[in-house]
Each structure stands twice: as C-alpha cells, then as structure tokens.
Amino acid sequence: MKSQITAIKDYTIGSIDKRIYGSFLEHLGRAIYEGIYEPEHPKADENGFRKDVMELITDLNMPAVRYPGGNYISSFNWEDSVGPIESRPTRLDLAWKTRETNEFGLNEFITWCKKTNIEPMYAINLGTKGIDSARNVLEYCNHPSGSYWSDLRIKHGYKDPHNIKMWCLGNEMDGEWQVGQKTAYEYGRLVNEVAKSMRKFDSSLELIVAGSSSDMMSTYPDWEREILENSYESIDYIALHKYWTNYEKKTSSYLSSNIPLQDYITTVEGTINYVKAKKRSKKNIKISFDEWNPWYHTREIATQNYLDNNLSDWPKAPPLYEDMYNLLDALLVGTVINTFINNSHILKIACMAQLVNVIPAISTVKNGISWRQSIYYPLYFASIYGRGVSLKLKVDVAEYSSDIADNIPYLDASAVLNEEENTVSFFLVNRSENESIDLNFNLYNLEIKNILDQKLITHSDIYVSNTKDNPSAIIPQDNKSISLIDKKIIGSIPKLSYIFLRVKLL
Ligand code: AHR
C-alpha cells in the first residue's frame, strides 16, 4: 500500500506542552506499596523509594504525575497522610475496598517527585469534602510559614513550601461509582466556589475541573456545558478520561479507537467555545486528558472477584488491575499519543493511567524485578523526542471502516519540529493487519540533512506481552527500512507496527 505524508515547516498546530506526556499514580492496588515505595526492597533508597522503578521513570523524562487518585480521593482525608508515620491513621478506602495505612502520603509524594524531577499534580476530594479541606491542604502545601497549616508542614519536616501549581478539583463526579457523586449543577457550583477560594490564596494556580468520566456517559456532553457554565471564569482546564478495551479481539476496530477520540476532543473544544461565547469571555480553557489507557486484561476478573463482594478483610495493596499489555495495546497507545500531539493547540496536559502496577507502564515484583510494559515505549519516544511544535500533516493513504468509525487511514501519524535541535520526529502506526505501507515524505521548507534515528516496535505474535519471566518480549528494535535518497525520505512500515523516525534538518 502506498502513502504520502506532506508537511510544511510553518504549517503548525501548536506548541507542545511537555505535560501531555504525564502519568498517574493512585492509592490503588500495588501502585504505591510494592510499586514506587517498598522500604524492604534491596534497591530501596533512604526514603523507601524503589530506585529501580525511579530509574525506569526518569528514563521517560516524565514531566508530571497526578496523585493520589482517581476514585480514591473522593473519600480521602489528606490530613491522614501527613505527620509522623506512626501516628497516621489506617483507613478503609471505599473506592477500592482497601486498608490504607497512609504510610506513604503527601510529603513523601513531593519528595519522590523532587527525586524523579516530576511536577506534581495534586487531586483533592470533592466527594465527601469541600472548600475548607481544599483551602487547608493548599495552605499546608504552598504557604511559606506563619500560619497554622504552613507551620504544621514545617513541624512535619518540610521547611520549604511545595509550590504545587496543578490541582484537580474532584474526580469523575458524574460517575455513580463515585463517593459523593453529584449532578452537573451541584458539582459546577461547588467547583466554582472551591476554585475562587483557592485563587484568593494564589491567582496563578492551574485548576482543573472534572469533565465526563468518558464520552460513553449518558450525561456527556451536557455535563461539560453545565459545569463550564457554572465555573468558566474560575478554572483553567477541563479533564477528559477514556479507557479502551479489546475483549473481542477485533484488531481493526480496536486500532481505530483514536477516530472517536478525536471526536471527543473536538466536541469538548466546541463546548468550551460555546460557553466562552455565551459568557462573552476572553478566557481560553484548555484540555487536561488526565486519565487514558487500554484497560481490559484484568478488569472484569478484579471487579467480579473483588469489588462486587462484601469483604470482611480489607487487604493492604492487593494486586488489582495488573494488566500485561500486548503489541496491539502499544500500537493503540501510539495512535492516542499521535492524537494528543495533533491537538496540541488545546490539549495541554495528559496522564497515562497509570504508571506502576495498576494498568501500568511499569510492573514490579515484590522484593524482585521491575520491567517496562509494551505501552511504555510509545510514551518513551514521544516524551523524549516529541517536544517542540507539532506539524499539521496531510496523510494520503487508503482508508477502511470499522464498527466504531469510517474513513480510518491505515497510517496514523504525527510529527514534532524541535527548532532548538533543528530536528523533526515522526511517530507512525500502521494499522493494517495485512499489508506494509510504503512511506513517501513531501516536506516543504524542511530540508533533511540526515536520518538520526529510527526504531520499530512490532512482533509476529500480536498478543505477546512483557512479563516477569519474559520482560523483553516486546522491545523497540533498530530499524533500517527508511532511507534518505536524493534528499527525500522513503521507506516502509511493516503491518501492525510502530515506527519512531528522527531526522536532522539542514
Ligand atoms: O485509573 C483507575 C480509575 O479509573 C480511577 O481511579 C478513576 O478515576 C477511573 O474510573
């Protein structure tokens, strides 16, 4: 199959906010305990943080991590997670039916972020809590000294303020599973007042309102309209969430999932613009896609065997949702990241959900190894090489229809121009189950000096995963199928595969 990718240097979509390559850590399953924190592990540092896991995360140059939930935050008291560890209460977490010792809490998270060079994104409880709790945690974290909460932080051993800029105001408040679920009006009003109070403390905070839990919710997209109508001038971002499944093993359909994803983003962008116009506002609200990933390998089993049962024992950090991702999941992730890059004018934050052990990019064994899942790699290439300005691509290639979309190009692509380094990186996914695709590039004002790098992710077994016994089943390989001939890039991409290509400009 033939294809042609056309790009023009000045024809750009937007400048990429590096935080679109963020992730998420929740007090869920073994994400924290036995994930990033395991004091008894041979590779634990003086804080009990697993150094092997920190290395895999710093390799990603991870820009931001959302914490501590998710559904977890909606019945969480942040005060339980600070102070001397031996005095912290053990609580029963209603979201995941887990016993939470609070051994790892807010200040440990900030220390961990500093060590991994990550910007924290802190989520607050608007399920069982409200304005008072929000202003207290903000004062605890960000006020230098001389007030009750800031002095308490200092007493806890943290002299300098944490200066957390990004705050998620509640989580999935439209969901019937959420502790303290609200109507759009109730939540929109609450968020507005919480945000106004937080801004009295610091007007430069970046505040995120929770949009629909997904585009499949019956209240979507009216939820977005109503919460924005009630909070537009007080917040900065609206959150989108989306998880994908491939239960039926329908490859062509699964790999077309980023077509409806584009509709989801376009619809929310339209809703933002509608409310902006209605309010005669000058403010531009942006999108924070702060939960996204494939999620299906272990979901039903965990829910049936665990969450739906009345447990007499509330275990600490049980293994939950420990999906082992395959090649198709990595390809899907490649297309989702392409969509984020291709919407960089409006989409400024995104968090792969999640980072460690729970629907993870990285898995760990208690007292044992840690390894990268297949989905780690497309995030890695984009995070390391996808910083700069996104180029608007015209991709000419054959198309197909699936049960969820029409006009699906077999080749999915994005490109990022890095003017400082004078490079362009291309991220390509071939969705075809049968054919490789010939690649031809028509680039204007982008004269290529040489090819710097090309990597390929593919496998003869599309369902193979990286596991503890075989942690390198799917890893990127050096690729040789693309060359520079007479100043033109030409080559091919095999069926069902991902290619990262980086070129130097003259
Ligand atoms: O990431 C797992 C869960 O998915 C989060 O806690 C919740 O926000 C979403 O439903």
Side-chain angles (χ1 to χ4, degrees):
M1 185 185 323
K2 299 217 171 307
S3 77
Q4 181 160 286
I5 296 176
T6 305
I8 303 173
K9 187 177 181 189
D10 296 320
Y11 198 12
T12 59
I13 299 168
S15 105
I16 291 177
D17 189 321
K18 64 180 181 186
R19 297 176 301 181
I20 68 169
Y21 307 124
S23 193
F24 174 36
L25 278 169
E26 178 164 12
H27 281 256
L28 194 187
R30 300 189 312 120
I32 306 296
Y33 307 108
E34 299 175 24
I36 61 166
Y37 176 79
E38 190 181 337
E40 302 77 28
H41 193 279
K43 291 190 176 156
D45 70 4
E46 66 286 1
N47 297 106
F49 305 155
R50 280 186 64 156
K51 283 189 282 187
D52 57 331
V53 177
M54 284 201 284
E55 263 169 42
L56 295 179
I57 293 168
T58 46
D59 280 356
L60 282 168
N61 197 5
M62 175 61 61
V65 168
R66 181 172 177 251
Y67 171 89
N71 297 339
Y72 175 73
I73 61 165
S74 291
S75 54
F76 168 62
N77 307 329
W78 72 268
E79 301 91 328
D80 296 344
S81 77
V82 296
I85 290 177
E86 56 290 356
S87 321
R88 295 183 197 171
T90 291
R91 300 277 187 196
L92 300 183
D93 161 39
L94 299 178
W96 306 111
K97 295 196 173 173
T98 302
R99 189 163 40 86
E100 174 57 58
T101 61
N102 285 300
E103 204 179 323
F104 182 100
L106 170 52
N107 295 320
E108 288 76 23
F109 174 63
I110 297 297
T111 304
W112 181 85
C113 283
K114 288 202 169 118
K115 287 194 158 185
T116 43
N117 197 24
I118 284 170
E119 183 181 355
M121 185 175 176
Y122 194 73
I124 60 172
N125 174 357
L126 291 189
T128 60
K129 299 278 180 177
I131 300 174
D132 211 32
S133 176
R135 62 143 186 179
N136 293 347
V137 68
L138 177 59
E139 183 184 312
Y140 180 92
C141 289
N142 285 11
H143 194 58
S145 66
S147 69
Y148 176 78
W149 291 107
S150 58
D151 287 346
L152 188 62
R153 183 197 69 244
I154 294 168
K155 196 171 148 204
H156 291 161
Y158 295 83
K159 186 171 172 298
D160 295 329
H162 297 330
N163 285 329
I164 301 175
K165 282 283 168 202
M166 281 185 286
W167 296 81
C168 301
L169 308 184
N171 177 70
E172 298 189 349
M173 300 310 304
D174 57 339
E176 55 79 26
W177 57 87
Q178 204 66 231
V179 176
Q181 180 193 10
K182 298 188 170 35
T183 64
Y185 180 73
E186 290 165 343
Y187 174 58
R189 286 283 308 123
L190 175 62
V191 125
N192 192 52
E193 297 308 312
V194 169
K196 271 166 51 191
S197 316
M198 293 176 80
R199 288 217 191 279
K200 283 186 198 291
F201 177 84
D202 177 356
S203 59
S204 72
L205 298 174
E206 296 185 88
L207 303 180
I208 303 158
V209 67
S212 299
S213 300
S214 85
D215 56 342
M216 304 312 282
M217 300 298 288
S218 60
T219 44
Y220 165 83
D222 217 38
W223 172 272
E224 276 74 4
R225 177 196 58 74
E226 198 167 352
I227 58 167
L228 286 175
E229 282 183 356
N230 282 288
S231 65
Y232 195 89
E233 296 297 338
S234 311
I235 54 99
D236 304 292
Y237 299 87
I238 182 164
L240 278 64
H241 289 182
K242 181 89 183 160
Y243 292 98
W244 293 274
T245 65
N246 189 19
Y247 290 116
E248 291 167 11
K249 296 193 167 178
K250 289 206 284 195
T251 301
S252 60
S253 169
Y254 184 51
L255 293 183
S256 67
S257 300
N258 73 328
I259 308 294
L261 169 65
Q262 180 61 62
D263 294 341
Y264 184 15
I265 294 168
T266 305
T267 302
V268 175
E269 183 176 2
T271 310
I272 293 169
N273 289 336
Y274 167 79
V275 178
K276 180 183 175 189
K278 191 169 171 184
K279 291 196 168 283
R280 313 295 191 258
S281 175
K282 285 197 288 190
K283 187 167 187 176
N284 292 313
I285 302 294
K286 306 285 184 192
I287 288 175
S288 168
F289 213 115
D290 51 39
E291 285 188 34
W292 68 272
N293 219 354
W295 183 7
Y296 61 104
H297 295 284
T298 61
R299 190 171 188 163
E300 306 284 281
I301 307 164
T303 305
Q304 277 158 22
N305 295 350
Y306 189 78
L307 292 182
D308 289 348
N309 293 330
N310 277 325
L311 304 174
S312 51
D313 171 36
W314 293 59
K316 178 186 171 189
L320 278 177
Y321 308 123
E322 301 208 356
D323 287 29
M324 295 288 130
Y325 290 113
N326 59 38
L327 173 69
L328 297 180
D329 301 323
L331 299 184
L332 178 87
V333 162
T335 64
V336 170
I337 294 174
N338 282 346
T339 308
F340 292 167
I341 292 172
N342 288 332
N343 286 276
S344 57
H345 63 294
I346 182 97
L347 201 149
K348 296 292 179 184
I349 304 170
C351 305
M352 178 187 260
Q354 298 191 4
L355 187 52
V356 184
N357 284 335
V358 176
I359 36 178
I362 295 165
S363 298
T364 72
V365 173
K366 183 180 181 181
N367 210 24
I369 66 159
S370 53
W371 72 99
R372 300 168 176 89
Q373 291 286 331
S374 63
I375 59 169
Y376 176 102
Y377 294 107
L379 181 65
Y380 168 83
F381 289 119
S383 178
I384 303 296
Y385 300 108
R387 299 185 183 200
V389 177
S390 57
L391 294 174
K392 181 131 189 91
L393 300 181
K394 179 168 183 282
V395 179
D396 293 304
V397 68
E399 298 177 340
Y400 70 97
S401 288
S402 75
D403 51 0
I404 58 167
D406 290 323
N407 305 113
I408 307 149
Y410 278 106
L411 181 65
D412 191 75
S414 69
V416 177
L417 169 67
N418 185 323
E419 295 205 83
E420 270 166 41
E421 293 175 0
N422 209 23
T423 58
V424 180
S425 295
F426 292 92
F427 308 97
L428 309 168
V429 176
N430 181 353
R431 301 175 160 111
S432 171
E433 292 174 80
N434 307 309
E435 282 186 58
S436 65
I437 299 177
D438 293 339
L439 299 168
N440 289 284
F441 291 78
N442 238 343
L443 306 176
Y444 296 90
N445 297 337
L446 292 161
E447 247 190 291
I448 313 291
K449 185 174 172 203
N450 57 301
I451 293 177
L452 293 172
D453 203 0
Q454 47 176 316
K455 293 279 188 285
L456 170 72
I457 306 173
T458 195
H459 203 283
S460 52
D461 178 356
I462 58 176
Y463 297 115
V464 76
S465 305
N466 294 345
T467 61
K468 72 175 173 12
D469 299 321
N470 189 6
S472 304
I474 305 186
I475 51 170
Q477 305 146 26
D478 287 335
N479 186 54
K480 294 197 170 42
S481 69
I482 301 174
S483 332
L484 189 64
I485 298 173
D486 294 336
K487 295 189 179 167
K488 289 208 104 185
I489 321 170
I490 52 167
S492 65
I493 175 169
K495 65 181 183 183
L496 294 180
S497 66
Y498 169 98
I499 281 186
F500 157 65
L501 168 70
R502 186 162 165 256
V503 298
K504 184 89 180 167
L505 302 176
L506 275 172

